[in-house]
Amino acid sequence: MPTFNALVESQKETDKTFRVKILVYHKGKKKRISTEWYVTEKDLTITKKNKKSNLKGSKSEKTTTYTIKSPYYKNLIHNKTEEYRGICENTPKVESMTVEDIVDLLTTKPQDKFQLDIIQYLMDRYDELLKEGRKKSAEDRKTVANSLKRFIRKDTLDVNEITTDFITSYTSWLKGDNERHPRICVLYPGVISKALDELKYEHNDEDNGIRNITVNPFEKIRQGRRIGIGRLLLNDPEKAPTLTVEQIQKIIDLKIFDTKREELARDMFLLSFMLIGINSVDLYHCTDYSKEILTYNRQKVKGRRADKGLMMVKVEPEVLPLMEKYKNWNRDKDNVFHFSTQYANGLYN
């Protein structure tokens, strides 16, 4: 039975990465299988350095042996070698085959295996959502597609590779890469989950036994209640921080700010709080305020509902000072608030 080992050679690619290969041993011979994975020096440890002698009079060639320390790539290699072993164990007369025959067996893709590039799908959805006027949802798809490219260091990702281990490793990478923005550790996997649901709806037919997409990476990951920013910051999903009345009053009473944007952030929180949770993008696009009623269309759902997401909120007397403070004085603009003339859109960064 052939054996398999990961191999990282000392030659660097042009972008200073190393290509991972799998070495196949069989009957005293060996042959390499190139993978689609590229690692950097931070993913590796040096096992030993060798000096290989050449012909007399020529310089010796230095070679370096590496081992992979990255848990993500170690897991990928383990899964791939297990897949190779399974193929060999289910192939009759594999012992009589040459190492070249075995490599051909392992690298020939079955013609009937369903494959779909989820990164390309996210970009296609980006274009579709833009045409529907759902800019925020479109941008989320594009951002996650680019994030996945950075994570896997390639431009394509087969949907069958989106396993629980993949999502776990991806989330850990997000936490390390975005310490100041913990919200994306929930948002980005959520976009992937939504994409998988859409793809299963399009390509699976459970009633007729058609299951082109079988991965279900989020089944083992605790979904439950949505994890908020505060819980992520506390690193404890069970401790959901809740603002007390005293804390909210302190926010209201705050008078000294280092910058104008800090003051704007405080005021946006208060506007949202006192207008029953209206978000920043809806405040930005709001164009109707009359007779103590603020009327707006929820940007998130206006393209999907017959009433265009119509919402009406009574403006209580306590909100009036902020309404006046941010009143739009530009007569060329219909927007209720003047920050719509200061910023290009209502999205936050």
Side-chain angles (χ1 to χ4, degrees):
M1 184 65 66
T3 59
F4 307 94
N5 284 304
L7 172 68
V8 179
E9 297 180 313
S10 57
Q11 295 89 351
K12 289 185 180 181
E13 301 291 338
T14 56
D15 60 351
K16 297 184 179 180
T17 59
F18 300 79
R19 189 163 194 172
V20 179
K21 299 181 180 181
I22 293 178
L23 206 56
V24 184
Y25 291 91
H26 186 60
K27 292 184 176 180
K29 294 185 178 181
K30 58 187 178 182
K31 195 170 178 66
R32 295 169 173 81
I33 297 178
S34 294
T35 73
E36 58 194 9
W37 310 313
Y38 290 84
V39 294
T40 62
E41 289 181 345
K42 70 178 183 179
D43 300 312
L44 305 170
T45 55
I46 296 176
T47 305
K48 60 181 177 178
K49 293 184 178 181
N50 303 315
K51 187 177 286 187
K52 182 180 178 182
S53 299
N54 290 330
L55 295 175
K56 187 176 181 180
S58 63
K59 292 183 179 180
S60 297
E61 180 184 350
K62 293 181 179 180
T63 61
T64 305
T65 304
Y66 297 92
T67 56
I68 296 174
K69 66 179 180 180
S70 164
Y72 170 65
Y73 286 104
K74 287 173 72 173
N75 185 63
L76 285 177
I77 292 165
H78 172 75
N79 291 341
K80 179 58 69 174
T81 54
E82 286 298 303
E83 177 189 332
Y84 286 167
R85 289 190 184 95
I87 293 172
C88 292
E89 288 171 0
N90 290 289
T91 300
K93 300 181 180 180
V94 69
E95 293 292 347
S96 63
M97 297 171 67
T98 65
V99 69
E100 289 81 10
D101 291 335
I102 289 172
V103 169
D104 288 340
L105 170 69
L106 298 175
T107 55
T108 301
K109 294 182 179 180
Q111 296 299 312
D112 58 347
K113 183 179 178 181
F114 181 85
Q115 291 182 306
L116 188 146
D117 180 9
I118 193 168
I119 290 177
Q120 184 58 53
Y121 173 76
L122 288 170
M123 293 306 299
D124 291 341
R125 284 293 290 149
Y126 165 75
D127 293 332
E128 292 170 4
L129 291 168
L130 272 186
K131 292 177 181 177
E132 295 173 10
R134 297 166 61 186
K135 186 175 179 180
K136 179 63 170 63
S137 296
E139 290 294 341
D140 285 346
R141 268 58 171 191
K142 183 178 181 180
T143 301
V144 173
N146 290 330
S147 172
L148 286 170
K149 287 181 185 180
R150 292 194 301 274
F151 174 57
I152 62 177
R153 300 187 188 125
K154 56 177 184 165
D155 293 335
T156 61
L157 177 64
D158 183 52
V159 67
N160 299 297
E161 296 180 49
I162 308 294
T163 62
T164 299
D165 288 337
F166 179 92
I167 293 297
T168 302
S169 298
Y170 177 56
T171 304
S172 298
W173 176 80
L174 287 174
K175 289 178 181 177
D177 200 43
N178 300 275
E179 293 180 359
R180 295 178 60 190
H181 303 283
R183 181 175 180 269
I184 71 171
C185 301
V186 176
L187 175 63
Y188 288 14
V191 170
I192 296 172
S193 178
K194 175 73 172 175
L196 288 175
D197 289 342
E198 293 169 349
L199 288 170
K200 288 178 181 179
Y201 180 79
E202 291 179 21
H203 298 283
N204 289 2
D205 185 351
E206 300 288 345
D207 293 338
N208 293 304
I210 299 173
R211 299 187 69 211
N212 290 315
I213 299 174
T214 58
V215 291
N216 191 11
F218 296 96
E219 184 177 14
K220 295 179 182 179
I221 298 175
R222 182 177 181 269
Q223 295 297 293
R225 295 167 296 172
R226 184 173 180 178
I227 299 175
I229 296 292
R231 295 184 198 172
L232 285 167
L233 289 172
L234 286 174
N235 224 359
D236 187 350
E238 299 303 324
K239 294 182 180 178
T242 302
L243 289 175
T244 64
V245 174
E246 291 75 16
Q247 288 172 325
I248 294 174
Q249 188 61 53
K250 285 183 179 180
I251 294 173
I252 294 171
D253 295 338
L254 188 61
K255 303 298 181 185
I256 301 174
F257 304 93
D258 291 334
T259 65
K260 284 288 185 182
R261 294 198 70 179
E262 286 187 3
E263 183 178 4
L264 176 64
R266 190 282 305 268
D267 292 345
M268 291 304 97
F269 166 79
L270 293 177
L271 278 171
S272 176
F273 179 76
M274 292 190 282
L275 295 172
I276 62 171
I278 186 172
N279 59 40
S280 61
V281 71
D282 291 327
L283 282 169
Y284 181 91
H285 289 284
C286 183
T287 58
D288 189 352
Y289 171 48
S290 61
K291 297 181 180 180
E292 299 182 349
I293 299 295
L294 188 71
T295 304
Y296 65 96
N297 300 94
R298 285 196 67 203
Q299 298 296 307
K300 185 176 181 178
V301 298
K302 73 173 187 177
R304 290 177 284 165
R305 284 175 31 179
D307 65 352
K308 297 184 179 180
L310 183 66
M311 298 288 290
M312 302 177 73
V313 182
K314 182 181 179 182
V315 178
E316 300 293 344
E318 292 80 5
V319 196
L320 293 178
L322 284 175
M323 299 293 292
E324 186 66 21
K325 181 177 180 178
Y326 290 101
K327 181 178 180 180
N328 181 21
W329 299 99
N330 186 347
R331 295 181 179 179
D332 295 331
K333 283 273 191 176
D334 293 330
N335 301 64
V336 172
F337 300 101
H338 77 66
F339 44 75
S340 62
T341 67
Q342 296 176 286
Y343 297 92
N345 57 58
L347 306 179
Y348 56 87
N349 296 311

